[in-house]
Amino acid sequence: MNPLPFILLLLITLAWALLPLLPALWEFFRPTDVEPLTMVGRDNADISRFARHFREYLQGQLEQYPPRNGVEDHQTGTLPDGTPFIRTARLSNELSRSGLPEESATRLVVLDQTTVLDNGDQFKYEVWAREDVFGSPRATYRAILGEKNVELGERSVILRWLHSVGTLVVGPASHLYGRASAEESIQFGREVHFERVGAPVITVGIATPRPMPPRHTEPASFLPPPNSRRLGDHLRVDADLTVPAGTLIDDNLVVAGQLTLGPGARVTGSVKSHRTLTLESGTVVEGSLVSRGEITIGQDCWIRGPVISEERLEIGRGTSIGSPNAPSTVSGRQVFLADGVTVSGQIVTSEGGQTAD
């Protein structure tokens, strides 16, 4: 029996089965990396949507319980949906109020004036602060909506979400689970743990956004290595690469191996590494920074675009990412922020972030 017809039929069947995989196979053996660079964008998800929905819900629920001025006693009751609540009165000539009744721990709390909490409260329901609120140390909250400024004491815990219309100050050693956001700024203390945060300015310690360094006027000084080739809108290097100090790269750069940008190096485009990516002190990247491995950013660096790592991301002292006028996104499996770091936009982690201890 002649086996040739069977072999031909088998080859034709295999070819037909592999036909849909040809683009993927071509990209695997001859990667272009054009799409990963151009598709990295900002996370446009509304990080404060829980707070906005909570405000709308509560305004409707409290219609029959208007605020009371000049009344000493707290107002208690049950909302139409069955939620127990307590509401403080706005007292004349009183700037703040310390402490709340014990029953506040098991009721939704509405604070109608500036409030200072001082007894390590634990709140089973949400807190709606219509003026500034200053939390006590070691307090635990389900969620907080602050219509002005919010300041958490040290070792505070937020279980679900937190939003401040003004400035949010987070005390040392606090834990923020879920989302935390502010419409003006967020200032972290030391050893703060977080999952997802967003604000026009996010700082660790006392810091201010650094302006972008002046654009380069000198010609590009980067000499493409022999194992590089141009693909689409970027230069691809098919090996590890170390860029010397002070080098100017006027291009988008993709490195198949490990990449190190030396002190004071500058890239006018975007950067991607298939392995670890290291920026030494004073490095400037005017586009995005992307790595399939870990990213380590040294001191006093400046990155305009998104910083995305599929692994661990560490940002050094004094580094700025994005700006209030051009917010960015920082994302990593784990994110570590040193003192003096400034991020404008959002920080997103899958396994948690932490500020320096």
Side-chain angles (χ1 to χ4, degrees):
M1 181 178 178
N2 187 358
L4 183 60
F6 173 77
I7 295 175
L8 289 175
L9 178 61
L10 180 61
L11 292 175
I12 293 172
T13 302
L14 288 174
W16 185 262
L18 291 173
L19 186 61
L21 301 178
L22 285 179
L25 292 171
W26 179 263
E27 181 65 23
F28 179 79
F29 290 107
R30 297 285 293 177
T32 62
D33 289 298
V34 175
E35 193 64 22
L37 275 178
T38 57
M39 71 181 292
V40 174
R42 298 185 180 96
D43 184 358
N44 292 318
D46 183 2
I47 192 172
S48 63
R49 65 186 179 90
F50 292 153
R52 186 181 68 253
H53 293 165
F54 173 71
R55 179 190 291 120
E56 294 170 355
Y57 150 78
L58 204 52
Q59 287 174 337
Q61 294 284 312
L62 285 171
E63 287 181 351
Q64 59 181 296
Y65 299 99
R68 301 185 300 175
N69 295 328
V71 180
E72 293 289 344
D73 296 332
H74 299 291
Q75 182 182 17
T76 61
T78 302
L79 299 178
D81 67 354
T83 302
F85 79 93
I86 183 169
R87 185 170 196 166
T88 63
R90 181 186 293 275
L91 301 180
S92 59
N93 301 320
E94 184 173 329
L95 297 178
S96 63
R97 182 191 304 274
S98 297
L100 291 171
E102 291 185 4
E103 59 185 313
S104 302
T106 57
R107 292 176 177 268
L108 187 151
V109 177
V110 181
L111 305 174
D112 278 326
Q113 69 179 64
T114 298
T115 304
V116 179
L117 304 174
D118 59 4
N119 53 355
D121 302 277
Q122 294 188 1
F123 295 93
K124 179 180 177 180
Y125 291 94
E126 294 84 354
V127 175
W128 185 23
R130 304 186 68 185
E131 298 287 344
D132 295 344
V133 61
F134 301 88
S136 61
R138 301 180 183 275
T140 299
Y141 309 88
R142 175 184 173 90
I144 299 177
L145 169 57
E147 299 292 355
K148 291 190 176 179
N149 303 311
V150 176
E151 182 172 334
L152 300 179
E154 64 177 331
R155 300 187 181 278
S156 296
V157 177
I158 300 292
L159 297 177
R160 294 193 60 192
W161 56 264
L162 165 63
H163 180 73
S164 171
V165 174
T167 295
L168 168 61
V169 178
V170 183
S174 295
H175 282 72
L176 308 180
Y177 298 102
R179 304 180 179 204
S181 55
E183 296 179 23
E184 292 186 5
S185 64
I186 297 176
Q187 180 180 324
F188 284 134
R190 291 184 174 272
E191 205 174 345
V192 172
H193 297 258
F194 58 88
E195 292 183 358
R196 181 174 179 178
V197 295
V201 179
I202 304 167
T203 61
V204 181
I206 305 300
T208 55
R210 296 171 54 224
M212 176 182 175
R215 288 190 174 273
H216 66 284
T217 56
E218 70 277 13
S221 57
F222 177 66
L223 298 177
N227 53 0
S228 63
R229 51 197 165 101
R230 176 153 295 280
L231 294 170
D233 65 349
H234 68 274
L235 181 70
R236 177 183 171 89
V237 179
D238 293 315
D240 295 344
L241 177 65
T242 298
V243 176
T247 299
L248 172 62
I249 303 176
D250 192 11
D251 209 339
N252 296 314
L253 182 65
V254 174
V255 176
Q258 299 179 4
L259 171 61
T260 300
L261 298 176
R266 183 164 187 151
V267 182
T268 63
S270 296
V271 175
K272 179 183 177 183
S273 172
H274 284 227
R275 296 185 181 177
T276 58
L277 175 54
T278 303
L279 275 64
E280 298 188 7
S281 61
T283 299
V284 175
V285 177
E286 298 182 24
S288 60
L289 199 65
V290 182
S291 176
R292 293 180 180 174
E294 295 184 358
I295 295 180
T296 302
I297 302 175
Q299 295 186 13
D300 300 320
C301 295
W302 195 95
I303 299 98
R304 178 195 291 273
V307 178
I308 312 293
S309 171
E310 295 184 9
E311 299 295 337
R312 185 179 188 271
L313 170 58
E314 183 174 341
I315 304 175
R317 177 186 297 269
T319 286
S320 292
I321 299 174
S323 66
N325 295 327
S328 185
T329 296
V330 172
S331 178
R333 180 173 296 176
Q334 298 172 317
V335 177
F336 295 88
L337 308 177
D339 191 47
V341 166
T342 302
V343 175
S344 294
Q346 294 192 33
I347 305 175
V348 182
T349 76
S350 59
E351 296 182 3
Q354 181 181 337
T355 63
D357 55 19

